[in-house]
Amino acid sequence: RKEVEQDPGPFNVPEGATVAFNCTYSNSASQSFFWYRQDCRKEPKLLMSVYSSGNEDGRFTAQLNRASQYISLLIRDSKLSDSATYLCVVKDTGFQKLVFGTGTRLLVSP
Amino acid sequence: NAGVTQTPKFRVLKTGQSMTLLCAQDMNHEYMYWYRQDPGMGLRLIHYSVGEGTTAKGEVPDGYNVSRLKKQNFLLGLESAAPSQTSVYFCASSYASLGERELQETQYFGPGTRLLVL
């Protein structure tokens, strides 16, 4: 079983749609959780951290369910510029070792 | 600030050739990392460094060596390239000091090096 699992997609949605991505992780001792965004042929960049209480950044909402070892990302009012691959990332205990999911690809069409 | 830079951007090697990938960061980060990204595999950690003069193995270190002689530079070497090392290589860096957690844990990535081994 992979440490971090994501649906690879692609998710094809029209502009303005709401889309949700899910991610599960296997290590119950994991400490920190993130969503990174990766554009085609570019490097990953931090989109947002995921806090236990849930957090929002503009159109983006991230939630964490430690009991189910589940992380989600909700994007409201999708824009064409949201088209990218979204990487679910988990930090294990101890050293800053990040474990990356394989990513979920989002395509937003006009 | 340039952030994290990598050279070269693209390289083609023949099996058995050697090469060095250079990563440089100007953010005074203590930690640096080398990852490879392959289709369907996600990013995997090759080696990392917690400071100048120190390196450690990551998840997939075989076939690679690294050096961190200066704080701002982290070199990844392939002594005898194999087709299985065809991949996109990303370097990243992060802070190590205590402080605001997100600042500490965010990794900043370079633009990547695309390597093809024939």
Side-chain angles (χ1 to χ4, degrees), chain A residues 61-104:
Chain A
T61 300
Q63 292 195 314
L64 167 66
N65 183 325
R66 284 189 184 270
S68 302
Q69 295 177 211
Y70 171 97
I71 306 161
S72 66
L73 177 68
L74 182 77
I75 305 175
R76 292 182 298 278
D77 189 22
S78 297
K79 310 292 185 190
L80 295 177
S81 57
D82 293 335
S83 296
T85 296
Y86 292 84
L87 307 175
C88 178
V89 183
V90 174
K91 176 183 172 296
D92 282 346
T93 56
F95 172 68
Q96 295 182 38
K97 178 178 179 291
L98 299 184
V99 181
F100 288 80
T102 53
T104 298

Side-chain angles (χ1 to χ4, degrees), chain A residues 2 31-34 36 38 41-46 49-51 87 91 95-98 100-102, chain B residues 31 33 35 37 40-43 45 48 50 90 94-96 101-102 104-107 109-111 114:
Chain A
K2 289 181 181 177
Q31 293 182 327
S32 304
F33 311 89
F34 312 90
Y36 275 68
Q38 186 172 23
R41 301 178 74 86
K42 298 288 188 181
E43 71 272 23
K45 292 182 180 179
L46 179 68
S49 299
V50 186
Y51 301 123
L87 307 175
K91 176 183 172 296
F95 172 68
Q96 295 182 38
K97 178 178 179 291
L98 299 184
F100 288 80
T102 53
Chain B
Y31 291 175
Y33 317 80
Y35 293 90
Q37 186 174 37
M41 300 292 290
L43 281 141
L45 184 65
Y48 63 94
V50 299
F90 287 102
S94 67
Y95 291 101
R101 192 191 75 177
E102 182 167 314
Q104 178 183 349
E105 295 178 333
T106 301
Q107 291 190 10
F109 285 81
R114 294 181 178 277

Side-chain angles (χ1 to χ4, degrees), chain B residues 68-88:
Chain B
R68 184 123 179 247
L69 299 180
K70 293 182 179 180
K71 184 177 183 179
Q72 63 268 33
N73 295 337
F74 195 27
L75 278 64
L76 178 71
L78 285 73
E79 289 186 348
S80 179
S84 62
Q85 294 177 304
T86 293
S87 188
V88 181

